[in-house]
Amino acid sequence: MAAVTFNNISKRYKDGPKAVDDLNLEIADGEFMVLVGPSGCGKSTALRMIAGLEEISDGELRIGERVVNEVPPGDRDIAMVFQNYALYPHMTVRQNIGFALEVAKVRKDEINRRVEDAAEMLGLTEYLDRLPKALSGGQRQRVAMGRAIVRSPQVFLMDEPLSNLDAKLRVQMRSDIIQLQARLGTTMVYVTHDQVEAMTMGHRVAVMRKGVLQQVAPPQELYLRPANLFVAAFIGSPAMNLITADVTIEGDDVFVSFGGHRLRISAKALDRYPGLRERNGTKVIFGLRPEHFAMEEDLEVGDDQVLTVRCDLAEAMGAEVHIHAVVDVPPPAVDGAPIAAEDDPEALVAGTKVIARVDGIHTIAMGQDVRLAVKTHLTHFFDPASGAPLR
Amino acid sequence: MSVRRKGPKATAIRVATYVLLVCVAVVVVFPFAVAVTTAFKRNTDIFTYPPSLVPKKEATIPAADVGLEGDPVPVYSFPDRDDRPGQWALVDGDASLAEFRPLDDLERVIVLDVKAGEKTGETISIDGEEEDVYLVDDGGAQVEAYRSRLTSGGLFVSVDDPSTSVLDLVNFATPAREFGPRFSNFTEVLAEKDPETNGKGVGRSLTNTVLVTILVVLGQIITSILGGYAFARVQFKGRSTIFLMYLGSVMIPFVVLIIPLFQLMLQVNWRDNLVALIIPFAFTAYGTFLMRQFFLGIPAEIEEAALLDGASRSTILWKVMVPLARPAIATLATFGFLYAWNSFFWPLVIINSGNPDNAVLSLTLSTLGGRSSTDTNLVFAGTVLAMTPPILVFLFAQRYFVENSASSGLK
Ligand SMILES: Nc1ncnc2c1ncn2[C@@H]1O[C@H](COP(=O)(O)OP(=O)(O)OP(=O)(O)O)[C@@H](O)[C@H]1O
Ligand SMILES: [Mg+2]
């Protein structure tokens, strides 16, 4: 087992911008690190550089103490699980799992023992003599895992290993992988674009955007203290509501106003975002997670902390209701982040879309005016130009 | 199976389709069937009338069956006195016979043993000659007849009932024929060239052809795999230029190359040498292209996985890529085999026609058909020998043509 260290790593493909730009990241020995980001942000490229499948244009990559920039993939002592599993179609499960050992000229009985141990661990024992084409998707996925663990490598690399499975199996495999990694204690670098996987699986999550690392933090911190507007917008589902708002300070009270609405911000938020105090009379980006709303009757707040909006769409999810509404202010541009406006071009014109998540006991009709209490003490504030948090 | 249309109209269409297909199949298969059956016929059996697809021989029965010793006895087939068809074994081909003609019907001939009949003492004048009148046995009845001729003929014994025998003229009887393939056609045509034994020397050519074909196919497979892999996956300078040139060479017809190639073979002293049939054909641009396309179709991840498993380039090629490329290799091998096995013109040019030691099958067969076309059965035996291996190869390889297992390891 070993740590993986990126020192100013860059990757430039022949014709194009940098796929990975000056990446500094330390993945500790035994850590489960998740790389997440929108499509094309360079997650796979970073992973493939660890594997040695892509050349490193610039910088220094270490696995353990060893600089591996020039070390061929086979000598890096790492194992990778590909999105499409990349099993050898002409080999049985046993041969697939044992191939690396066979190449390494391990003794036959030793190979058999280790293959059978790995198969046992993954529940593949009865399929050992089948060909991959006679396996289900989930079983193939396990074979790919088996191929990785049988070698007891220094580092596991996984590139969206669950994206080809159906939802139920994905949940199952997710916990299996977490447990497996915990048991083996092997360093893991896991690429995904799935919010849930990112939040639930990793010890830490690295968020990337256009090849640039945005934030590395434990999942909860990422959620609660996003390092910038992009991370705030990217992490969480439904995404954080980001609204361009004017700040006014009257005495000790700070108010934000947008599209005819005005909210008093609790002092607790000001403790977390002291920078807001210096923004009197300027525009900021005001961030509200959907769960920071509640129906007025569920939450006791002052009148100046209630937002009245017209419900455009109410999605009853059982435990909760998602209320979609629009506030009359142009949406902020968050480059590359999947904000609500992105999949709904009309919203760009009409105003900023807001999603509120309220308790499921409420029945809300479309077109109805709803009064939403806002937990202003939990809100976030960012600089509209740089996207930096106003801490 | 997919869903089929139903209803009387669909059935009629299907029946018509099958009838048509069967007709076409019969037309196509017939010449082939003629060639195969002729290869098993006796030469005398080929142009008989009515023609038959079944090879036949003259029937015999063991001598012991008719109470004799020695060689098997030939069987003839003709009707008995009561006009019932029967099979008769010729037990004595040189019996003395007498022909009698009954006085009441001088056109009829009764063939009997020379000692048969009793003189009545009377005489009769036939065409101005005095003849004795005999009392002879004519199927049980005694009739008056005169002896028109003494001759020799055959003593036949009924195959079904050896106690019945009959005397008749051998040349009037038709020999019975029965199923009898002649396997020695093949041994004769294979035997070393020799007018005494009727050997045609095809065996030597067959060996040469097998040798040449195996080496050409092996050469093509190995060079195509290596070249195809390099063109598909190895980065090197000028790769696409070289590949385009390689591919362009497919466009040059072989006839254009014959004279330069012949010159080249003279330079390296390979004229009239089997090497000249092997080395120039152990490389194929088409096969390289085929393998390259196939390798390109194998997902890069499979190779990357092998790379991460610590496999070297050659391990990846031989243990991962080549097993996956079996369908392409089978296709390549089949085409290479057919090409090498059937090639005629180049051997004709480069191998001396008088040298049976270096001749290949296609050459020998062409001379066999030309010079000794009296031995039609042997020509066909040679033909059958020549076409059997390609058919077997095709049957063996065809299951690979459709199969492509390369993608089944994914997803
Ligand atoms: N072989 C290549 N040649 C040129 N550009 C490439 C190559 N591979 C990737 N890129 C570019 O590099 C950037 C990062 O790609 P990468 O595959 O790492 O994205 P990703 O984060 O894994 O995205 P996804 O979630 O879609 O898999 C993309 O803009 C992509 O177009
Ligand atoms: Mg990717």
Side-chain angles (χ1 to χ4, degrees):
Chain A
M1 272 144 275
V4 177
T5 316
F6 288 85
N7 277 334
N8 305 97
I9 295 280
S10 292
K11 170 70 191 182
R12 185 189 287 281
Y13 287 109
K14 243 190 228 106
D15 37 339
K18 284 185 176 170
V20 171
D21 192 357
D22 199 21
L23 176 62
N24 284 293
L25 180 61
E26 252 178 70
I27 302 164
D29 188 2
E31 182 172 10
F32 195 130
M33 173 66 81
V34 174
L35 293 186
V36 69
S39 188
C41 71
K43 311 179 289 285
S44 299
T45 304
L47 196 73
R48 291 167 60 83
M49 283 194 288
I50 307 178
L53 298 174
E54 297 293 351
E55 262 178 52
I56 295 166
S57 313
D58 227 334
E60 187 186 76
L61 179 74
R62 288 169 188 271
I63 296 177
E65 287 307 302
R66 187 162 65 136
V67 177
V68 292
N69 287 38
E70 301 300 328
V71 178
D75 297 341
R76 293 191 181 195
D77 200 10
I78 40 148
M80 182 155 170
V81 174
F82 293 84
Q83 182 173 4
N84 55 18
Y85 315 143
L87 303 181
Y88 310 121
H90 59 295
M91 297 187 195
T92 61
V93 170
R94 183 187 293 279
Q95 292 165 327
N96 259 288
I97 298 179
F99 185 71
L101 302 178
E102 193 193 314
V103 169
K105 304 227 165 18
V106 176
R107 283 211 333 275
K108 269 258 150 40
D109 49 342
E110 169 83 0
I111 294 182
N112 270 335
R113 191 182 59 73
R114 285 167 68 177
V115 167
E116 273 154 28
D117 284 353
E120 171 94 49
M121 201 184 296
L122 295 163
L124 284 172
T125 309
E126 56 186 305
Y127 307 111
L128 274 178
D129 295 312
R130 290 213 200 156
L131 287 176
K133 66 176 168 218
L135 297 179
S136 73
Q139 290 160 347
R140 286 179 200 174
Q141 213 282 330
R142 281 167 202 274
V143 176
M145 302 272 298
R147 211 163 57 172
I149 64 176
V150 75
R151 295 164 44 197
S152 331
Q154 302 277 329
V155 185
F156 285 140
L157 307 176
M158 301 201 180
D159 193 351
E160 308 197 20
L162 306 184
S163 59
N164 284 325
L165 301 181
D166 67 51
K168 208 167 158 197
L169 207 53
R170 206 176 309 166
V171 174
Q172 162 80 37
M173 285 308 295
R174 204 163 69 203
S175 52
D176 285 2
I177 291 177
I178 295 171
Q179 284 169 9
L180 195 71
Q181 197 269 342
R183 181 141 43 113
L184 300 173
T186 309
T187 313
M188 163 85 85
V189 187
Y190 187 102
V191 166
T192 182
H193 59 242
D194 184 297
Q195 292 276 331
V196 187
E197 282 177 29
M199 293 302 286
T200 54
M201 296 180 83
H203 299 150
R204 285 195 300 161
V205 179
V207 183
M208 291 179 69
R209 170 192 166 210
K210 291 187 174 170
V212 180
L213 182 65
Q214 304 291 307
Q215 185 174 11
V216 196
Q220 205 57 22
E221 184 179 336
L222 218 55
Y223 193 78
L224 297 177
R225 291 174 52 80
N228 58 32
L229 198 55
F230 173 81
V231 177
F234 185 74
I235 298 292
S237 172
M240 185 189 286
N241 302 299
L242 294 168
I243 305 163
T244 312
D246 292 303
V247 182
T248 36
I249 301 180
E250 294 170 9
D252 274 350
D253 286 333
V254 177
F255 293 90
V256 291
S257 41
F258 48 90
H261 305 279
R262 184 175 154 99
L263 290 174
R264 185 173 56 81
I265 299 303
S266 151
K268 282 187 192 150
L270 293 177
D271 293 345
R272 285 169 43 242
Y273 287 93
L276 189 59
R277 286 188 192 283
E278 290 138 37
R279 296 290 171 132
N280 190 13
T282 64
K283 284 195 189 302
V284 297
I285 291 176
F286 172 53
L288 265 171
R289 292 216 181 265
E291 63 269 26
H292 295 165
F293 293 99
M295 293 303 279
E296 196 185 12
E297 58 258 46
D298 292 346
L299 189 72
E300 232 166 83
V301 293
D303 259 3
D304 51 4
Q305 291 185 330
V306 173
L307 192 62
T308 308
V309 290
R310 208 174 64 100
C311 169
D312 291 337
L313 172 69
E315 296 172 313
M317 317 286 282
E320 57 205 27
V321 182
H322 292 181
I323 299 172
H324 295 240
V326 171
V327 293
D328 188 16
V329 48
V334 185
D335 202 8
I339 55 166
E342 207 162 76
D343 11 277
D344 187 2
E346 273 174 43
L348 279 172
V349 194
T352 307
K353 198 164 177 184
V354 173
I355 299 177
R357 187 191 264 176
V358 302
D359 204 291
I361 54 167
H362 301 284
T363 327
I364 292 141
M366 269 211 275
Q368 175 190 342
D369 275 347
V370 283
R371 287 176 60 78
L372 297 166
V374 179
K375 300 171 187 170
T376 56
H377 59 288
L378 296 175
T379 51
H380 303 273
F381 300 92
F382 302 93
D383 183 277
S386 68
L390 299 175
R391 295 209 178 101
Chain B
M1 188 168 223
S2 57
V3 177
R4 290 171 137 225
R5 283 179 195 283
K6 294 208 173 68
K9 196 177 161 200
T11 310
I13 288 174
R14 202 167 305 129
V15 167
T17 311
Y18 279 109
V19 168
L20 190 71
L21 286 177
V22 166
C23 292
V24 172
V26 166
V27 169
V28 171
V29 166
F30 187 70
F32 179 76
V34 169
V36 172
T37 55
T38 308
F40 288 96
K41 283 182 175 178
R42 278 152 187 76
N43 213 7
T44 50
D45 191 24
I46 295 173
F47 298 111
T48 48
Y49 188 85
S52 156
L53 276 180
V54 185
K56 287 192 177 138
K57 66 174 185 196
E58 276 150 27
T60 56
I61 59 169
D65 284 9
V66 287
L68 294 178
E69 284 172 13
D71 291 339
V73 181
V75 175
Y76 290 76
S77 108
F78 49 84
D80 66 3
R81 285 211 186 78
D82 304 325
D83 247 2
R84 284 190 305 253
Q87 301 270 315
W88 305 88
L90 178 65
V91 291
D92 182 0
D94 196 21
S96 301
L97 303 181
E99 282 181 13
F100 293 93
R101 289 173 190 255
L103 297 186
D104 47 4
D105 178 5
L106 290 178
E107 293 303 300
R108 201 150 73 85
V109 176
I110 304 168
V111 181
L112 289 173
D113 190 88
V114 81
K115 293 197 245 3
E118 278 173 46
K119 280 191 189 162
T120 55
E122 294 169 38
T123 58
I124 187 168
S125 165
I126 304 287
D127 295 341
E129 297 222 12
E130 287 289 300
E131 298 280 0
D132 290 324
V133 175
Y134 289 77
L135 203 58
V136 298
D137 177 82
D138 179 21
Q142 297 285 317
V143 293
E144 288 191 325
Y146 80 96
R147 192 156 78 181
S148 59
R149 194 156 76 105
L150 284 177
T151 180
S152 77
L155 172 62
F156 295 92
V157 170
S158 168
V159 171
D160 308 314
D161 171 19
S163 62
T164 339
S165 66
V166 100
L167 284 163
D168 209 337
L169 299 175
V170 176
N171 47 355
F172 280 8
T174 23
R177 304 174 68 75
E178 65 182 14
F179 175 70
R182 187 169 186 267
F183 296 105
S184 56
N185 284 351
F186 291 92
T187 45
E188 272 174 31
V189 80
L190 284 173
E192 214 168 293
K193 205 168 207 131
D194 183 357
E196 292 274 299
T197 62
N198 205 19
K200 302 297 181 202
V202 168
R204 172 71 192 217
S205 315
L206 185 65
T207 318
N208 286 344
T209 301
V210 168
L211 180 78
V212 167
T213 304
I214 287 178
L215 291 179
V216 166
V217 169
L218 280 183
Q220 288 193 350
I221 289 177
I222 290 171
T223 56
S224 298
I225 286 176
L226 294 174
Y229 183 72
F231 282 129
R233 287 289 159 84
V234 182
Q235 295 289 346
F236 57 89
K237 225 178 163 169
R239 181 172 83 166
S240 42
T241 319
I242 297 176
F243 182 69
L244 275 181
M245 283 166 56
Y246 215 69
L247 203 58
S249 72
V250 174
M251 314 286 171
I252 303 172
F254 182 65
V255 278
V256 175
L257 297 176
I258 286 179
I259 288 172
L261 196 57
F262 188 80
Q263 292 280 350
L264 192 66
M265 294 298 113
L266 286 186
Q267 295 292 320
V268 293
N269 212 6
W270 282 350
R271 195 175 59 85
D272 194 25
N273 192 327
L274 290 180
V275 182
L277 303 184
I278 299 167
I279 300 297
F281 301 96
F283 310 89
T284 140
Y286 165 73
T288 310
F289 174 70
L290 187 79
M291 292 312 296
R292 170 185 179 264
Q293 293 310 102
F294 199 89
F295 286 139
L296 280 180
I298 296 178
E301 282 95 341
I302 289 186
E303 231 182 315
E304 291 173 348
L307 213 56
L308 288 171
D309 276 345
S312 63
R313 271 244 189 260
S314 69
T315 312
I316 292 177
L317 179 58
W318 297 110
K319 287 215 166 150
V320 178
M321 302 300 265
V322 167
L324 289 179
R326 268 181 318 200
I329 294 173
T331 311
L332 176 64
T334 310
F335 284 132
F337 182 95
L338 294 179
Y339 182 83
W341 189 269
N342 294 331
S343 86
F344 172 68
F345 195 67
W346 176 246
L348 185 67
V349 170
I350 202 75
I351 300 293
N352 284 357
S353 56
N355 184 356
D357 281 350
N358 285 346
V360 289
L361 206 50
S362 51
L363 293 181
T364 316
L365 280 182
S366 76
T367 48
L368 191 64
R371 225 177 351 185
S372 54
S373 43
T374 46
D375 291 321
T376 315
N377 51 344
L378 297 195
V379 177
F380 276 99
T383 311
V384 166
L385 282 176
M387 68 186 175
T388 308
I391 291 173
L392 292 181
V393 165
F394 184 80
L395 288 181
F396 175 76
Q398 65 157 357
R399 68 196 177 99
Y400 285 110
F401 290 165
V402 280
E403 174 194 307
N404 178 354
S405 59
S407 57
S408 52
L410 299 175
K411 297 205 182 167

